Amino acid sequence: AIDISCLERRIEVVNSHDEIGKLATALNSLISRLEQAVVEIRRFTADASHEIRTPLAALRAEAEAVLRSPRTSEEYVRALTVVVEEATRLGRLSDQLLHLSRHDAGITPCAREPVQLDALVLDVTDQLRPLAAARGVTLDCRIETACEVPGDDIRLSQVFFNVVENAIKYTTAGGHVGVQLRVGGQEALVEVEDSGVGISAENLPRIFDRFYRVDPSRQCEDGGAGLGLSIAKAAVQAHQGAIEVESRLGKGTTVTIRLPGETGGDSSSLPQTDSVRF
């Protein structure tokens, strides 16, 4: 009698110590996990639908307003600018959703080519300097040592871009964002520290949830859909790494990305240079 429409029901356990009781307990545990999965799928579908409807509504409203009566060339240019911005936003959202769905299906390949991590981190930082400058935020990058790790340079670049961009967006004018690369043991560690608004203990466990925003009011300002950190976490996990967040409300946030090196190799055979190679 328990189906997709009534997953809140459970099997009665008369005696949890006999074979039937243990089986019923195991089935109840399975049903609980299924219920949670269905809830998450429904929430994801609802959130995705909402995010898609917003730019579509803006596109339609702008087009309808222009078509109501003849306009000047300047008004047409303004309307088309809005259309392009909303179409770009919609395209970015669809790309993010496609990326996450491929990750969930396990069909996103993860290259294992040598990646010069220090050069990649510096490149991402340089790309984001104009954004930091526009917001009045100081952006520094410190590389303790050159470092090479096996991985996918495009996906790793996306990880650092999402995390650093997020730090800049949530740091007020006059604040500071620092990016540091160091090596600890058999791991490369990239730390992104900001002096921004911080995250409360209540919100911290959910920041990697899809479509979750600590401050929903920033959606229109930044144009984000709340998928950046979800994508970053998926990419880090694909590299067998970990991403951790520490934050205090009003004090700032530190995101640490750990990327392991390859195991089983003989490090004594590596060339002795200033670059650390895993």
Side-chain angles (χ1 to χ4, degrees), residues 122-196:
L122 284 170
D123 181 60
V124 169
T125 305
D126 288 341
Q127 289 181 51
L128 288 168
R129 287 193 190 282
L131 174 63
R135 290 176 174 265
V137 175
T138 303
L139 177 60
D140 295 326
C141 184
R142 178 184 176 188
I143 305 296
E144 290 193 357
T145 181
C147 177
E148 185 180 276
V149 297
D152 187 320
D153 61 339
I154 295 177
R155 297 186 69 182
L156 288 176
S157 177
Q158 187 178 36
V159 170
F160 301 131
F161 190 96
N162 288 352
V163 173
V164 177
E165 182 186 41
N166 218 49
I168 294 171
K169 287 181 177 180
Y170 285 90
T171 300
T172 56
H176 173 263
V177 174
V179 183
Q180 180 181 21
L181 168 64
R182 59 188 178 89
V183 174
Q186 294 299 311
E187 292 181 323
L189 294 91
V190 178
E191 295 178 339
V192 180
E193 183 178 6
D194 67 65
S195 61

Side-chain angles (χ1 to χ4, degrees), residues 28-42:
N28 282 338
S29 176
L30 172 62
I31 296 168
S32 295
R33 295 196 300 273
L34 287 173
E35 181 184 19
Q36 181 61 31
V38 170
V39 168
E40 291 178 359
I41 290 172
R42 288 172 177 167

Side-chain angles (χ1 to χ4, degrees), residues 54-75:
T54 301
L56 285 177
L59 285 170
R60 180 174 179 176
E62 199 65 31
E64 288 178 343
V66 171
L67 291 173
R68 287 194 187 103
S69 61
R71 305 282 175 168
T72 65
S73 59
E74 291 80 9
E75 289 174 322

